Amino acid sequence: MASPSITLAVQPRGNLGKKIPKEVQIASDASTQEIYQSLAKVSGLSIHRLRITKASDRSLVPNSKNDTITSTGLSPKDVLQVKDLGPQISWRTVFIIEYLGPMLIPALFLFPLRPYLYFNFDKPIPEPSDLQILLCGLLTLHFLKREYETIFVHRFSNATMPAFNIVKNSGHYWVLAGFNIAYWAFRPDAAAAVSTSQANPILLYTGVALFVFAELANLNAHLVLRDLRRPGTTDRGIPSGFGFSLVTCPNYLFEILAWVGVYLVSGLSWSVLFFIIVGGGQMAAWASKKERRYRKEFGDKYKRKRSVMIPGIY
């Protein structure tokens, strides 16, 4: 026997105007995703551009095939507020574009653009040192790994984000990790403008070893997080494994350690340190938010962490 249908009032927000009907009828056991599909079809907008909330408390009605009308607490004559979020772009596309810049910029700055960037130095401009070439390789490998993870590893809880965010997100990586690091670290008078035989061996070998270890550990953490979420769902389990007993987000810990390795190889370049500080601050905020979410979502099943990102410090 088919479940009875209920009628929900619809209230457009913003510039949706006449594109949205005044009410929608839907089966009481239908998924909340079906509301999105119905309104997307009528409005002609992508399902990912719509945001639906309950007018009574402004809580989000999730675009989910696992949540039903009844489980969300919706009842007949409840009012749904619908907002157009504007043009959207997939998270995967955003990540691919934002990592592409700092993956390519180091080699461009070090080789074809070198005569133009450092034109004010005495001619002839010296060739890049082998230490600068090694540093360029580390930077390229780091973001090549990021691209690989974006395409083959990560599963995103949200399909899209506002298209304009690509400017903000790409700006962070292209400017701070791309232009900023490459220009200063590859200057003819930079600390890294020496041969590897002349470099401080403690900084060089410790930096390379730390980079390799941290990149592999970071990849492992991402694989653990990937396997917690089944394909096509937003459901997640409690992460465990290497690093997860120490901090909430070992992926951020290992990310920072990899950059510390780059910092050491660069001869302690201030531009790399600046990127570590800015990126570390952002990751610290994300890690604190994730710890709060784990405590709320899993309750007593979750072993609370005293440190969210750096053991014994933060």
Side-chain angles (χ1 to χ4, degrees), residues 242-262:
F242 183 68
F244 286 94
S245 61
L246 295 175
V247 294
T248 309
C249 299
N251 49 318
Y252 297 156
L253 168 64
F254 298 134
E255 175 81 7
I256 290 175
L257 289 178
W259 279 104
V260 170
V262 173

Side-chain angles (χ1 to χ4, degrees), residues 48 90-92 155-161 229 234:
H48 301 299
S90 76
W91 276 83
R92 199 177 305 277
R155 291 173 183 156
F156 300 95
S157 54
N158 296 314
T160 65
M161 68 163 68
R229 180 181 296 158
T234 59

Side-chain angles (χ1 to χ4, degrees), residues 91-104 139-154 156 173-174 215 219 222:
W91 276 83
R92 199 177 305 277
T93 300
V94 170
F95 277 26
I96 288 173
I97 293 174
E98 69 184 30
Y99 298 148
L100 184 63
M103 184 179 74
L104 300 177
L139 293 169
T140 303
L141 281 173
H142 175 79
F143 287 104
L144 183 62
K145 168 182 166 291
R146 287 280 193 96
E147 294 284 27
Y148 171 82
E149 291 171 338
T150 297
I151 297 171
F152 298 107
V153 176
H154 294 322
F156 300 95
Y173 285 100
W174 285 54
E215 290 289 348
L219 174 60
H222 285 158

Side-chain angles (χ1 to χ4, degrees), residues 3-16:
S3 299
S5 63
I6 65 172
T7 301
L8 299 169
V10 178
Q11 182 183 85
R13 296 179 60 197
N15 58 357
L16 281 173

Side-chain angles (χ1 to χ4, degrees), residues 16 25 49 60 90 100 109 131 145 178 203 239 252 266 275 312:
L16 281 173
Q25 282 192 329
R49 286 185 61 153
L60 178 68
S90 76
L100 184 63
F109 275 35
L131 184 59
K145 168 182 166 291
L203 294 181
Y252 297 156
S266 73
F275 179 72

Side-chain angles (χ1 to χ4, degrees), residues 45-106:
L45 297 174
S46 164
I47 191 173
H48 301 299
R49 286 185 61 153
L50 300 178
R51 177 182 173 84
I52 303 176
T53 55
K54 291 189 283 186
S56 57
D57 58 6
R58 296 292 181 90
S59 62
L60 178 68
V61 177
N63 176 15
S64 169
K65 62 183 180 182
N66 299 317
D67 292 293
T68 64
I69 303 298
T70 52
S71 69
T72 312
L74 289 169
S75 56
K77 297 303 180 181
D78 275 354
V79 178
L80 300 176
Q81 293 184 325
V82 185
K83 182 179 181 179
D84 178 7
L85 297 176
Q88 301 287 297
I89 188 170
S90 76
W91 276 83
R92 199 177 305 277
T93 300
V94 170
F95 277 26
I96 288 173
I97 293 174
E98 69 184 30
Y99 298 148
L100 184 63
M103 184 179 74
L104 300 177
I105 288 171

